[in-house]
Amino acid sequence: MTVTSTDVRPDPGALPDTRSGALSAALPDTLSDEAIGRGLARGDEHCLVLAHRRWARLVHTLAVRSLGDPREAEDVTQQVFLAAWRGRAGYRPERGPVPAWLVGITRRKTADALTARTRRLDLAAAAALMPPTRTDEGPEHVLDRIVVTRELARLPRDQRDVLTLAYFADLTQAQIADRTGLPLGTVKSHARRGLQRMRRSLTTTVTAPGRAPAGGEIPD
């Protein structure tokens, strides 16, 4: 039995190796844009390779113009073709040619990269506003302080004040109640709600690789 490319069911979440020189060289670059688009929508890996060969430079050029960083643009280019492969079922040839579809994906991925860059700059700015750190603090602890400072600034004032005293002044909830004059139950409520908000926010915040989101329980 002969197995053709259409008999294979590719993993919808995996990106075929579009950089394979042997595979790329073996594919004739004679298909029309429309044929590549139809093949890509069917899940034909060969058409993805041809699409990458034909339009990767366009995607990379657009990303460089927006980001100003060729290396970062390379990452975006790979993300664009990964997104195209994963979302190939949503491509409709009648709505526009493949290059226009890829340009739209490029704009979204470039915007994501700029957002991530802004977050990194925000973290750096937050570090400049932090109280001086002790000389015995390691870089991981310093990063935790940066992230916590940034997330605290987003909280309602009551929650922010309680958690600031807990984190930076290292006070227990009972000590915070004594310091602020708030009932202990109110302090616990503000702390709990503030931590919940921070945890939700930190799931989408750029943190150090391998580091758990900051914000644990506050001692009573």
Side-chain angles (χ1 to χ4, degrees):
M1 175 179 178
T2 302
V3 179
T4 66
S5 62
T6 56
D7 296 322
V8 179
R9 299 294 182 182
D11 180 354
L15 179 66
D17 187 2
T18 56
R19 298 167 297 176
S20 173
L23 177 59
S24 180
L27 296 177
D29 197 3
T30 56
L31 288 181
S32 66
D33 292 357
E34 293 78 9
I36 291 177
R38 290 193 299 270
L40 186 60
R42 291 195 307 269
D44 190 330
E45 295 183 6
H46 294 172
C47 288
L48 176 65
V49 175
L50 290 176
H52 187 274
R53 179 197 295 176
R54 190 170 296 183
W55 295 299
R57 181 173 296 180
L58 168 66
V59 170
H60 185 266
T61 298
L62 293 174
V64 169
R65 287 177 182 174
S66 297
L67 299 171
D69 184 339
R71 181 172 297 180
E72 193 173 4
E74 290 178 4
D75 292 338
V76 167
T77 300
Q78 287 300 107
Q79 293 172 22
V80 167
F81 283 93
L82 175 60
W85 180 246
R86 288 177 171 171
R88 60 190 180 274
Y91 172 66
R92 297 292 182 270
E94 64 273 11
R95 296 180 183 176
V98 177
W101 181 54
L102 293 174
V103 167
I105 298 174
T106 302
R107 288 172 178 167
R108 293 194 295 273
K109 293 301 180 182
T110 300
D112 291 344
L114 289 172
T115 298
R117 180 188 294 177
T118 299
R119 286 174 175 171
R120 293 193 296 270
L121 293 175
D122 286 348
L123 289 176
L129 299 176
M130 286 171 50
T133 58
R134 302 191 307 271
T135 58
D136 61 341
E137 287 184 337
E140 292 181 349
H141 187 68
V142 172
L143 181 58
D144 283 345
R145 289 169 61 88
I146 293 173
V147 172
V148 170
T149 299
R150 184 173 185 271
E151 295 304 321
L152 284 173
R154 298 178 174 181
L155 296 178
R157 181 175 179 178
D158 290 340
Q159 296 173 11
R160 182 175 66 247
D161 290 348
V162 167
L163 291 179
T164 297
L165 289 172
Y167 189 82
F168 290 111
D170 198 24
L171 299 182
T172 66
Q173 292 179 343
Q175 291 170 331
I176 293 172
D178 290 339
R179 175 79 62 89
T180 61
L182 294 172
L184 180 57
T186 301
V187 171
K188 291 183 176 181
S189 177
H190 288 330
R192 182 178 65 256
R193 292 175 181 175
L195 288 172
Q196 289 172 346
R197 283 174 177 259
M198 290 179 67
R199 289 191 184 105
R200 287 194 296 267
S201 178
L202 284 167
T203 60
T204 57
T205 297
V206 177
T207 57
R211 296 286 294 170
E217 300 297 331
I218 301 174
D220 292 336

